Amino acid sequence: MFSNGRETGLQYKKFVAYPWILTVTWPVDMDNEDYPLIRTGPYWKKFKANFCEFIAVLVQQCQCSILYDSYLMDTIISLLTGLADSMVRAFRHTSTLAAMKLLTAVVSVHLNLDVNKHNAQRLYEVEKRRISGKRTNYRLDQLERKRKEYEHKLLEIQNMMNAIFKGTFLNRYRDVIPEIRATCIEEIGSWIKTYPDAFLNDSYLKYIGWMLYDKQAEVRLKCLLGLQGIYSRKELVSRMDLFTSRFKDRIVSMPLDKDHEVAVQAMKLLMLMSQNCEDVLSAEDCETLYQFVYTTHRPLAVAAGEFLYKRLLSHEGDEEIQPKRGGKFGASTDQLKRLIRFFLESELHKHVAYLIDSLWDWAGKFLKDWECMTALLLKNAEEDGEELSDAHESVLIEIILATVREAAEGHPPVGRGAAKKILSVKEKKIQLEDCMKITEHFIMVLPQLLAKYSTDAQKVANLLQIPQYYDLDVYSTGHLEKHLDALLREVKDIVTKHSDISVLEASSRTYYVLCNEEIAISSQVDCARTQLIDELMGQLNQLLDGFWQKEEGFCTDAGEISRMHSALRRVAAFHNAHNLTKWNLYDKTLRLLVFEMEHGSLPVLMILPALQCTYFSLLWQLAAISENPPKETLFALGRELRRFCQICMRFLHHKEKDVREKAFMILCDWLLILSHQDSNNNEEAVGLLDYLPSTPLQEKLLLFIQEHVFMEEEEESKDLTEDEERQDESCKLDDLHKKRSLLAAYCKLIVYNVVEMTAAAEIYKHYVKTYNDFGDIIKETLSRTRHNNKIQSAKTLILCLQQLFQRHAESQDSSSGMDFSSASFTNMKELARRFSLTFGWDQVKSRESVAMIHKEGIEFAFQGATGVDGKCLPPNLSFLLIISEFSNKLLKPDKRLVYAYLQRYIAEPLPCRGDEWQPLIWYRNSLLANEDEESSVLGGSGEWSPMGTSKMSSFKRKLSNGSLPDTSQTEAASKAPALQRASQLASATGKSRKRLKSRETHLQEHLPFLCPGGLRRRCCKDEIKTEDVSEEGQAEDVIEDVDVDVVGADQVIPARVFEL
C-alpha cells in the first residue's frame, strides 16, 4: 500500500495505531504545495483562522475534566507528533500548526490553573491559621483536596506541554519549509508573553535568537515581532540580560535587512530596547541607527525618526524649560538646536527634506513652530548670549523651507514614496489649516528675513521658495497689500544684487506665482514685474551698445564681461518663466551667437546665457502661434527655427566643452519639441514648423554622445591631500551628472522616434561596461523602445551584438580562428545574457521579440557561407554561441519552430569534424534541451571531442536534462569516428522533424517569419489560433533572476505576420 512512500518504519507503526487514518488518500507528490493552509484568498484565510480557533475552543471546553482523562489529549498529541514528522508537506505543516496552537491553548489553561492553585493555597493558609489549635474541620480538608487537585492537573498539563514541545517544536523549528519555522517561532513568542514565569528563560529564548539568522524574511520577522512583545514590558526586560548581550549586535544590524518589513520591525524593536534597557545601545550603535532617517524607504525612515526624536531630540523635562528660561519658545528652541547640531554632525548626508519627513509624524508640533524658527533668525543673539552661527542659520532656513513644503504639499519628498498619497478628509483639513498658518505668518515675516539675508545667495534662494505655498487670496482679504509691496521691493533688490542662477530662478518663480491672473493682486505684481524687466533690459541694451561700438566688437575687459554675463543671466532666468517677446530680446542675443560663429572670440560667460535666451525666445514665439496665423509668420518662424538648429550644430564642435554640452542639450530638447507639435489646432502650421533631424545630424548627435559620455578619460596619478581628494571626488560626481543628463537627453530622442531606433545599438554596447553609471538610463531606454515596437527593438538588440561580433572578428587572426576565451567574446556573451534578462519571466509577452532575435541571428550566422551544399564553414558561425543566451526565453513550442528554421541552413549529414562546428552543436543543444526524445538521442550522439579547455571554460552551462558528459565519456567519445557522429546527428534530426511535423501548421501562425514558405502557403490566412502552453513547458524553461511580474502563459497571443 505504501510502496511509493518514503516514510520510516516507525512512522508506519504510528499510523497503524490509528486504523482510521489509513482511509486518508496517500498523495503521490510528497512535496505537493496545494493544500488549504497555503492557499490564498479570503476563504482559505478564514479557514485557517477557524481551524486555529477550533483547537483553542476544544481545549477550553475540555479544561474541566476531559482534558485530564489520559486518553483524548494523549491520543491527539501522539497523532500530531507522528504527522509532524511526516515527509508529506501537507501533513507536516498542518499538524505542526495544530500542535503549536494546541500548546498555546494548554499554556493558557496552565496559567489559569496556576492562579487557582495560588488562590487555593492562600485560602488554605488563612483557614489553617483561623482554626489553629483546633482539630481539622471539613472546610480545611476540602481546601487541601482542592489544592492537591490543582497540583495534579498542573502536573498533567506540564507533561502535555513537554510532550508537544519536545515532540514537535524541537523538530520543526528548523524545518525546511519556512512557513513551518515561522509558525513555531510565532507561537514560542506567544508562550513567553503569556506565561513568562515558565518560558522567559534562556532555554526558550535561544530559539528566537538563533532564528534571527534565518534565510527567510518571514521567519526573521516573526522573531522580531515576538521580541517586541517581550521588550515592550519593563518587568520582563530585567530577565533578558543574557539574551540581549548575546544577540544585540545581530539586532542592531537588522535595519540593513534586504526585506523592508524586517528592517522596519528591527528598528521598532531597537526603539523599545532603547526605552526599557539602560545603556544597552552604545553611542556608536545610536549614531549608526540615526542615519536611517535618510533612507529612501519611508516606513524605515519614519521608524528611525521615532528613534532619533525620542532618543536625542525629546528629553524628559523639555516642557519645564519654558518657564525656567522665561522665553516664549524655550522647549522648541532647544529641540531645534539639537536638530541643527545633529544635521551638521552627520557629514554623510545633506538632505534636509528627508530628515524632516522622517521626523514629521513624531515631531510635527515643534517642526510647525515657524514663529519660533523665524524668531531665532531675526534675533542677533539669544537671551543667554548664545548666537546662531552662519552654518546654523543656513540649516535653520533649509529646515523652515522643508517643513513648509511638507505641511503644504502633504506628501513625502521626491524619491521617497512611489506616488502622491490621497489625503483623507482629516488630513486635508489639517493641510488647509497649515497653509493658512504659513501664509499669515510669512506674509509679514518673509520681507524682514529677505532684508536681513539679502547678500547671502544660498539663504535667499531658499527663502524665495516659500511664497509658492501661500494662499494668495489672504493678501486681498486681509488687506495686507503693504506687505506685498515690501516683498516685491525686497525681491527686486535681490535680483539687482545677485547673478547666482538659483537666486534668479527663485525670484522669477516668485513673480510667476504672484502674477496668477485668478487672484486680485496680479495687476499690482505685473506692474512691478514690468518695471523690473524694463530696468534689466535697459542695463543689457546699454552694455550691448557699448560692446558693439568697440573695435571689431571684441571685449577684453574682465569687469565688462562680468557685467554682461550677469545681465544676460538675469534676463535668461526671467525669460524662462515670463514672455519677454515685446522687448525684442531675440535679435540681440542672435547677433551675439552669429558673431561667435563668424569670429569665435566671445567668452563662454557670454555665449551660454545668450544661447539660453535665444532658445527661450523661440519657444515663446512657437507657443504664441494662434489657430490661424498668417503664412508669412509661419514661414518666418520656420526659417528662424532652422537657423537656430544650424547654430547649435556648429556649436557642437566649439572649442569650449561647456558650450558644446549646452548646445547639445538645447538641440535635443529643441528637436523633441519640433517633432511633436500639437496638430489639433492647425495642421498646416505643424507641417511648416515640423523638423526631423537629417541623417548627418543624427550621426553628429550620436558621435557627440560617444565622445562626451562613453569616452574614457585618462586619470593622472597625483598625491592629493584629503581636501583635494574630496574636491576631486566632487568634481567627478558633477561630471558624471552632466554625462547622465547628456545621455538621457539623447535617449529621449530615441524613445520618441525623433532619431532612428537603430542608433540605440551604439548605446546598448556600453550597457555592461558602464552599468553602474548609466545602466538605469540604458535599461529604461530599452524598455520604452520595446514597448513602442517589439520587433524593431529586437532587431536593434541583435544589430548591437552583430556589430560587436564583426569588430571582434576583425581583430582576430584569420589563420587561428575565433578565440572563444578572449575578453571581447566573453563580454559579448555577458551582454547577450544581460539583454536576455531584460525580457523577464513572461515568455508569452516577449515571444515575438525573442523569436525575431533568433531569426536574425541565424541568418547572420550563415551569412556569407560559400558553396551550394552548405557544407563549408560559415564565417559568422560562432555568432550562434551569442544568441544561444536567448534560447531559455523561448517557449517550448517556439524552440521547435526555431529549430526547424535552423534546419534550412544545415546540410545533412552535418560536417562536424572539428571544433569549428561546435557553436552550431551548442546552439542546437540549447534549442533541444527540453525535448525528451531529442535529448535522449543527443545524449548518445553528443559525445564529440570537446573544445580546448581555454575555449570551453567560459561557456559550460548545465542543460535542463542533466550536466555535460563527464571526463571518461568525453575521452571515449573522442575516439569515435567522425562519420559515426555525423550519422547519429542526422538520425536525431530526422526524429526531431517527425515530432515537429504534427505542430508545424499550428505554430507557424504565431511566428510566421520563422516558417518555410511552403508551410505558409498551406496556412489558412483568415484563421487566427491561440496556443495553450502547459505549465510543464513553462517550468522546464530556465528562470532568470529578475524582479518582474509573471503573467500566465496560457493567455491569448496575437498572430503577427512578418515576411522573410
Side-chain angles (χ1 to χ4, degrees):
M1 178 178 178
F2 298 97
S3 58
N4 59 348
R6 292 176 291 179
E7 295 288 66
T8 64
L10 178 61
Q11 291 170 326
Y12 178 74
K13 291 176 182 178
K14 289 183 179 179
F15 289 155
V16 173
Y18 308 101
W20 52 269
I21 202 173
L22 297 180
T23 61
V24 177
T25 302
W26 192 266
V28 177
D29 185 4
M30 308 294 283
D31 291 325
N32 182 26
E33 296 187 4
D34 185 18
Y35 54 94
L37 290 187
I38 61 173
R39 289 180 182 173
T40 58
Y43 175 82
W44 297 109
K45 185 177 180 180
K46 186 177 181 181
F47 168 82
K48 181 178 180 180
N50 291 339
F51 177 68
C52 297
E53 184 182 359
F54 162 75
I55 297 172
V57 172
L58 174 65
V59 174
Q60 183 181 7
Q61 295 298 322
C62 299
Q63 65 179 334
C64 294
S65 60
I66 302 178
L67 200 65
Y68 316 102
D69 62 0
S70 299
Y71 177 77
L72 175 65
M73 290 302 295
D74 290 352
T75 304
I76 293 176
I77 292 173
S78 299
L79 172 64
L80 295 179
T81 302
L83 289 176
D85 287 335
S86 172
M87 297 181 69
V88 182
R89 174 176 175 172
F91 288 174
R92 193 168 73 253
H93 189 182
T94 306
S95 58
T96 301
L97 175 64
M100 294 300 99
K101 292 297 180 182
L102 182 64
L103 181 51
T104 301
V106 170
V107 166
S108 299
V109 173
H110 187 285
L111 185 62
N112 293 333
L113 286 174
D114 196 43
V115 173
N116 293 335
K117 175 195 168 185
H118 283 86
N119 292 337
Q121 181 68 28
R122 283 200 307 270
L123 289 175
Y124 176 80
E125 292 174 355
V126 169
E127 186 68 20
K128 188 175 181 179
R129 285 195 301 268
R130 189 175 64 85
I131 63 173
S132 60
K134 301 180 182 179
R135 59 182 181 177
T136 305
N137 62 2
Y138 173 77
R139 172 67 175 165
L140 195 61
D141 293 340
Q142 186 181 25
L143 291 173
E144 178 66 17
R145 287 194 300 271
K146 197 73 172 175
R147 185 174 62 84
K148 289 182 179 181
E149 179 185 352
Y150 285 138
E151 290 178 352
H152 175 71
K153 288 183 177 180
L154 282 172
L155 184 61
E156 290 286 335
I157 292 294
Q158 287 174 359
N159 291 334
M160 296 177 195
M161 292 164 54
N162 290 333
I164 298 174
F165 185 83
K166 294 179 180 179
T168 303
F169 179 88
L170 291 182
N171 295 326
R172 298 279 68 81
Y173 85 96
R174 296 175 299 178
D175 196 279
V176 69
I177 306 301
E179 290 88 348
I180 297 177
R181 302 199 301 272
T183 299
C184 293
I185 295 302
E186 181 180 12
E187 294 307 314
I188 194 175
S190 174
W191 307 334
I192 295 174
K193 286 183 290 184
T194 304
Y195 195 17
D197 292 339
F199 288 97
L200 187 56
N201 56 67
D202 297 322
S203 299
Y204 295 97
L205 287 171
K206 65 182 180 183
Y207 300 110
I208 299 180
W210 290 343
M211 301 312 287
L212 287 172
Y213 297 89
D214 196 275
K215 292 181 179 180
Q216 294 295 324
E218 180 184 4
V219 181
R220 300 194 300 272
L221 181 61
K222 296 299 183 183
C223 294
L224 293 172
L225 293 175
L227 291 174
Q228 285 179 16
I230 301 172
Y231 278 102
S232 62
R233 297 166 60 180
K234 282 189 176 182
E235 68 275 10
L236 302 181
V237 171
S238 60
R239 299 157 65 179
M240 298 280 292
D241 293 341
L242 182 59
F243 177 88
T244 303
S245 62
R246 170 64 180 83
F247 295 102
K248 186 204 73 171
D249 292 341
R250 170 59 182 162
I251 298 173
V252 170
S253 69
M254 292 186 75
L256 291 170
D257 197 282
K258 64 181 180 181
D259 184 84
H260 289 318
E261 185 61 25
V262 172
V264 172
Q265 298 303 327
M267 184 61 71
K268 292 182 177 180
L269 173 59
L270 289 165
M271 179 71 252
L272 295 173
M273 294 173 64
S274 174
Q275 286 179 332
N276 297 327
C277 301
E278 295 182 2
D279 301 328
V280 66
L281 297 177
S282 64
E284 292 77 10
D285 294 334
C286 293
E287 290 296 329
T288 301
L289 297 174
Y290 292 156
Q291 301 305 315
F292 284 96
V293 296
Y294 297 105
T295 185
T296 55
H297 184 59
R298 191 171 191 274
L300 177 57
V302 171
E306 179 188 10
F307 183 83
L308 173 64
Y309 177 69
K310 294 182 178 179
R311 178 91 182 185
L312 185 65
L313 302 181
S314 177
H315 291 169
E316 294 183 1
D318 273 349
E319 299 299 328
E320 301 176 0
I321 295 177
Q322 178 176 333
K324 291 182 180 179
R325 294 279 180 90
K328 185 178 180 182
F329 312 106
S332 296
T333 299
D334 282 355
Q335 289 179 332
L336 280 171
K337 286 183 178 180
R338 287 195 288 266
L339 179 60
I340 294 170
R341 194 179 304 114
F342 164 76
F343 178 76
L344 291 174
E345 290 175 355
S346 57
E347 299 177 354
L348 296 177
H349 304 279
K350 299 298 178 185
H351 308 289
V352 173
Y354 275 37
L355 174 61
I356 296 303
D357 181 60
S358 301
L359 293 169
W360 194 253
D361 294 345
W362 310 105
K365 182 178 180 181
F366 90 87
L367 289 178
K368 292 181 182 180
D369 196 350
W370 295 294
E371 189 176 355
C372 171
M373 298 180 189
T374 53
L376 279 175
L377 290 174
L378 292 174
K379 291 180 181 179
N380 291 326
E382 298 299 315
E383 295 180 1
D384 56 0
E386 181 183 355
E387 295 186 9
L388 287 178
S389 65
D390 182 70
H392 284 69
E393 289 179 338
S394 298
V395 173
L396 182 53
I397 290 175
E398 290 185 50
I399 290 174
I400 291 174
L401 175 60
T403 54
V404 167
R405 182 188 292 115
E406 186 90 14
E409 295 181 349
H411 59 78
V414 176
R416 178 178 284 177
K420 295 181 179 179
K421 65 177 183 180
I422 300 176
L423 301 180
S424 62
V425 177
K426 181 180 179 180
E427 290 173 335
K428 191 67 176 177
K429 181 181 178 181
I430 294 174
Q431 183 186 20
L432 294 175
E433 292 175 353
D434 289 339
C435 285
M436 184 60 65
K437 183 180 177 181
I438 291 168
T439 304
E440 293 175 349
H441 177 69
F442 283 98
I443 276 180
M444 294 179 286
V445 174
L446 185 59
Q448 302 175 40
L449 294 173
L450 292 174
K452 180 176 180 179
Y453 300 107
S454 60
T455 58
D456 192 314
Q458 181 184 0
K459 295 184 178 72
V460 167
N462 288 325
L463 290 172
L464 284 174
Q465 297 181 51
I466 295 177
Q468 62 183 297
Y469 304 106
Y470 283 0
D471 180 2
L472 296 175
D473 292 329
V474 174
Y475 273 115
S476 55
T477 57
H479 305 289
L480 301 173
E481 287 80 2
K482 64 177 182 178
H483 295 289
L484 177 62
D485 292 334
L487 176 62
L488 295 175
R489 281 196 305 269
E490 295 299 334
V491 175
K492 180 181 178 181
D493 181 60
I494 289 170
V495 172
T496 56
K497 284 181 180 179
H498 291 274
S499 61
D500 184 86
I501 190 63
S502 61
V503 176
L504 296 176
E505 289 179 349
S507 303
S508 176
R509 180 165 181 78
T510 300
Y511 276 104
Y512 176 78
V513 170
L514 296 176
C515 282
N516 190 346
E517 296 180 357
E518 298 179 358
I519 58 177
I521 62 173
S522 60
S523 58
Q524 181 182 353
V525 180
D526 184 59
C527 292
R529 179 185 61 179
T530 303
Q531 183 182 358
L532 173 61
I533 295 176
D534 284 337
E535 294 181 7
L536 296 179
M537 290 303 301
Q539 295 173 5
L540 179 60
N541 290 334
Q542 184 179 358
L543 291 171
L544 287 174
D545 291 341
F547 175 75
W548 296 120
Q549 289 175 4
K550 292 184 179 293
E551 183 178 358
E552 297 181 356
F554 186 73
C555 175
T556 57
D557 182 39
E560 187 173 350
I561 294 175
S562 178
R563 288 191 294 272
M564 182 76 73
H565 169 68
S566 299
L568 285 170
R569 291 188 78 172
R570 292 188 183 102
V571 174
F574 274 84
H575 208 0
N576 187 11
H578 308 274
N579 189 357
L580 308 185
T581 304
K582 65 179 181 180
W583 280 275
N584 196 22
L585 182 62
Y586 176 74
D587 294 337
K588 298 179 176 61
T589 55
L590 182 64
R591 185 179 177 186
L592 286 173
L593 298 180
V594 173
F595 178 83
E596 171 61 19
M597 288 177 57
E598 295 175 352
H599 299 85
S601 58
L602 286 181
V604 179
L605 294 178
M606 292 177 60
I607 299 174
L608 294 178
L611 196 61
Q612 197 76 45
C613 285
T614 309
Y615 173 55
F616 289 149
S617 297
L618 287 174
L619 284 180
W620 281 109
Q621 294 180 45
L622 192 64
I625 296 177
S626 59
E627 294 187 3
N628 296 304
K631 283 191 175 181
E632 295 78 8
T633 304
L634 291 176
F635 278 119
L637 181 56
R639 185 172 60 253
E640 295 301 326
L641 296 181
R642 288 162 177 77
R643 184 181 184 185
F644 181 68
C645 287
Q646 293 296 326
I647 293 174
C648 290
M649 288 176 61
R650 290 282 299 274
F651 281 169
L652 290 179
H653 305 285
H654 197 274
K655 60 183 179 180
E656 296 290 342
K657 181 180 178 182
D658 291 340
V659 176
R660 296 196 300 268
E661 292 178 350
K662 175 61 91 174
F664 180 84
M665 293 295 294
I666 290 177
L667 189 57
C668 288
D669 291 343
W670 193 230
L671 291 174
L672 190 63
I673 293 171
L674 293 181
S675 60
H676 288 77
Q677 292 292 308
D678 186 5
S679 61
N680 295 332
N681 295 331
N682 194 322
E683 295 184 0
E684 183 180 4
V686 173
L688 292 173
L689 299 178
D690 189 35
Y691 184 81
L692 289 175
S694 61
T695 301
L697 177 55
Q698 294 188 35
E699 293 175 353
K700 288 182 179 180
L701 293 175
L702 182 57
L703 181 62
F704 185 90
I705 286 295
Q706 290 174 332
E707 293 179 349
H708 289 75
V709 176
F710 297 117
M711 187 74 70
E712 295 184 359
E713 299 178 359
E714 296 183 0
E715 297 184 2
E716 299 180 1
S717 57
K718 298 180 180 180
D719 294 332
L720 303 176
T721 63
E722 185 177 349
D723 293 338
E724 289 174 342
E725 287 182 358
R726 189 181 297 111
Q727 186 176 2
D728 185 56
E729 288 295 327
S730 178
C731 292
K732 288 181 180 179
L733 287 175
D734 292 341
D735 187 55
L736 177 60
H737 178 71
K738 290 181 181 179
K739 289 182 178 181
R740 287 175 58 84
S741 299
L742 294 172
L743 181 60
Y746 182 74
C747 288
K748 282 194 293 186
L749 299 182
I750 298 173
V751 169
Y752 291 102
N753 299 317
V754 180
V755 300
E756 296 293 336
M757 192 183 295
T758 54
E762 293 294 332
I763 306 296
Y764 295 159
K765 293 177 183 178
H766 305 276
Y767 180 51
V768 175
K769 188 175 182 180
T770 62
Y771 185 81
N772 291 334
D773 294 336
F774 312 115
D776 56 336
I777 299 175
I778 298 176
K779 189 173 182 180
E780 183 66 19
T781 304
L782 200 158
S783 175
R784 296 287 188 93
T785 53
R786 184 176 296 156
H787 177 76
N788 294 341
N789 191 326
K790 293 181 180 179
I791 300 301
Q792 189 61 34
S793 176
K795 289 182 177 180
T796 304
L797 287 182
I798 200 68
L799 175 63
C800 170
L801 296 172
Q802 289 171 359
Q803 291 175 353
L804 289 174
F805 182 85
Q806 289 175 337
R807 184 188 304 172
H808 172 76
E810 292 172 359
S811 65
Q812 296 292 308
D813 186 1
S814 58
S815 61
S816 61
M818 186 70 68
D819 184 7
F820 300 138
S821 62
S822 63
S824 59
F825 196 88
T826 304
N827 292 337
M828 273 190 293
K829 285 275 291 181
E830 176 62 17
L831 181 62
R833 188 185 72 84
R834 300 287 280 273
F835 285 161
S836 175
L837 290 176
T838 61
F839 287 103
W841 288 349
D842 191 353
Q843 294 171 309
V844 174
K845 185 178 180 181
S846 60
R847 69 181 304 191
E848 293 178 356
S849 301
V850 177
M852 176 58 70
I853 288 176
H854 283 274
K855 172 184 175 295
E856 295 285 332
I858 292 172
E859 292 176 355
F860 176 77
F862 290 94
Q863 181 181 351
T866 58
V868 181
D869 56 359
K871 295 184 179 180
C872 296
L873 182 69
N876 299 332
L877 187 67
S878 301
F879 191 72
L880 294 176
L881 282 175
I882 305 297
I883 62 173
S884 66
E885 294 290 340
F886 297 92
S887 296
N888 56 4
K889 293 301 178 183
L890 285 168
L891 290 171
K892 188 175 179 180
D894 295 345
K895 286 187 177 183
R896 303 188 185 101
L897 197 56
V898 173
Y899 179 77
Y901 189 74
L902 176 66
Q903 295 298 105
R904 299 174 60 186
Y905 293 87
I906 302 176
E908 297 179 6
L910 183 65
C912 52
R913 291 185 174 85
D915 290 350
E916 63 272 9
W917 288 97
Q918 287 291 336
L920 175 59
I921 298 171
W922 192 276
Y923 182 57
R924 285 163 57 103
N925 282 350
S926 71
L927 295 177
L928 300 177
N930 291 328
E931 296 290 344
D932 296 334
E933 184 175 340
E934 286 82 356
S935 297
S936 62
V937 174
L938 289 173
S941 64
E943 299 174 355
W944 40 71
S945 58
M947 289 185 284
T949 305
S950 61
K951 296 181 179 181
M952 280 292 291
S953 59
S954 302
F955 307 113
K956 285 188 176 181
R957 293 184 184 273
K958 290 185 178 180
L959 302 179
S960 62
N961 64 329
S963 303
L964 292 173
D966 57 22
T967 305
S968 60
Q969 292 173 328
T970 306
E971 292 176 353
S974 64
K975 301 177 183 179
L979 183 61
Q980 182 180 359
R981 293 197 302 269
S983 63
Q984 288 171 337
L985 287 173
S987 174
T989 303
K991 291 186 178 182
S992 64
R993 284 183 172 177
K994 290 179 182 179
R995 295 187 66 180
L996 287 168
K997 188 174 181 180
S998 62
R999 295 178 178 261
E1000 283 174 343
T1001 305
H1002 180 67
L1003 293 178
Q1004 59 87 33
E1005 296 182 6
H1006 301 289
L1007 301 172
F1009 52 84
L1010 290 175
C1011 296
L1015 291 179
R1016 285 202 303 274
R1017 287 193 295 270
R1018 292 197 299 268
C1019 172
C1020 178
K1021 298 182 179 179
D1022 298 330
E1023 182 180 3
I1024 298 177
K1025 297 182 180 180
T1026 60
E1027 178 181 2
D1028 293 329
V1029 183
S1030 67
E1031 294 181 359
E1032 179 184 356
Q1034 265 192 310
E1036 289 176 346
D1037 291 324
V1038 179
I1039 302 300
E1040 299 290 352
D1041 186 17
V1042 284
D1043 185 15
V1044 294
D1045 294 332
V1046 180
V1047 183
D1050 56 352
Q1051 58 182 313
V1052 176
I1053 309 167
R1056 300 181 63 182
V1057 179
F1058 298 92
E1059 297 295 334
L1060 287 174

